[in-house]
Amino acid sequence: MNWKELLAVSMITIVAMLGAIASGAVVVPEEVPEHNLVVVTTDVEGVAYSWFVRGPRDLEQRKPSGADKSEIVFTGPPGRYSIDLTVWTDDGKPSEASGYVTIVKGDIPPDPDPPDPPDPPDPPLPPPNQKWQVVIVYESNDLDDYSASQVAIIKGLAFRKRLAEAGHKLLPGGITDQHVLDRNRRPPASLAPYLTACKGDPLPRIAISPLAGGGVVQDFDLPADADAVLAFLKGAKR
């Protein structure tokens, strides 16, 4: 016991003899798994706090927390611990409180599994009743994994005709593998903004920008078939 603790014990003894000690509360859990910090607080307000923790090794080390030292933390081997506190209030009168905690032996209970993340929201629909420049991006090596209707969009001519009849414009070379390169071994300049928009997203995708030009390129999952693509571009509800 160092001189500060001896001084505090002496003050507690003197005050107890004078019968001037009030009561308060030490706030501490009943049990804490070993290897975890025990956090102790109090509901007594004051200007100075003196803590003592006794356990299996007699007087235990504790670490004050907070600017006014109204909280402590400690840990130790399994066993029962008593916690004594003296608080000096503004009027100079001390208040005494005590509590108990048991550090229990055993494995620390695992953290509960985090909840499943919510499903991502559906991407926003394009504004209704607009005409669009269109690029469809896919991965050639994955064609066997796409639905027959999506392959028909990618490989067939009927979809291209229907897209033009609806007033939309499929850019030249606008149904393309994601790795397409021009003669300079670079992505074609006209398709580059659309390829960039789709980069890192699951394929196949449809990328659009306003037919009048000047708008931001947006990209979405490729709908299931040609009818769904045309309804999507019209801004219809899913």
Side-chain angles (χ1 to χ4, degrees):
M1 184 179 295
N2 60 37
W3 69 269
K4 292 183 179 179
E5 291 171 335
L6 285 171
L7 177 61
V9 170
S10 299
M11 293 183 69
I12 293 172
T13 303
I14 292 170
V15 173
M17 293 175 63
L18 295 175
I21 297 179
S23 62
V26 166
V27 181
V28 64
E30 292 184 3
E31 293 186 349
V32 175
E34 64 177 324
H35 312 302
N36 282 247
L37 286 176
V38 181
V39 180
V40 190
T41 60
T42 179
D43 62 1
V44 182
E45 295 185 0
V47 296
Y49 298 80
S50 179
W51 296 92
F52 293 91
V53 179
R54 290 179 174 82
R57 301 172 297 193
D58 196 25
L59 196 63
E60 299 285 348
Q61 296 292 322
R62 72 276 184 271
K63 182 177 181 181
S65 176
D68 59 1
K69 300 182 179 180
S70 61
E71 177 180 300
I72 61 169
V73 295
F74 71 91
T75 189
R80 184 171 172 82
Y81 292 74
S82 65
I83 303 159
D84 296 308
L85 167 67
T86 300
V87 182
W88 281 266
T89 57
D90 289 330
D91 58 9
K93 294 182 179 179
S95 177
E96 191 176 72
S98 62
Y100 298 90
V101 61
T102 300
I103 295 181
V104 296
K105 187 175 180 61
D107 296 332
I108 302 170
D111 293 333
D113 293 333
D116 293 332
D119 293 334
D122 290 335
L125 290 168
N129 303 317
Q130 291 200 36
K131 305 303 179 184
W132 303 97
Q133 297 182 99
V134 177
V135 172
I136 293 174
V137 181
Y138 65 95
E139 170 54 57
S140 299
N141 293 329
D142 294 339
L143 280 175
D144 290 343
D145 298 328
Y146 300 163
S147 69
S149 298
Q150 288 180 323
V151 173
I153 291 173
I154 293 168
K155 295 296 185 181
L157 297 177
F159 170 73
R160 292 165 169 77
K161 182 178 179 181
R162 292 186 62 187
L163 196 64
E165 290 173 348
H168 306 294
K169 179 182 179 182
L170 182 68
L171 293 188
I175 298 182
T176 178
D177 181 88
Q178 64 173 332
H179 302 297
V180 63
L181 299 173
D182 61 17
R183 66 181 64 184
N184 297 315
R185 308 295 296 172
R186 296 177 180 175
S190 62
L191 301 181
Y194 301 86
L195 294 167
T196 298
C198 295
K199 189 174 182 180
D201 293 332
L203 301 177
R205 300 194 74 72
I206 181 169
I208 60 174
S209 66
L211 185 61
V216 175
V217 175
Q218 306 172 71
D219 71 299
F220 307 87
D221 292 334
L222 180 66
D225 54 35
D227 290 339
V229 170
L230 294 173
F232 172 77
L233 293 176
K234 191 175 180 181
K237 294 183 178 179
R238 295 185 192 279

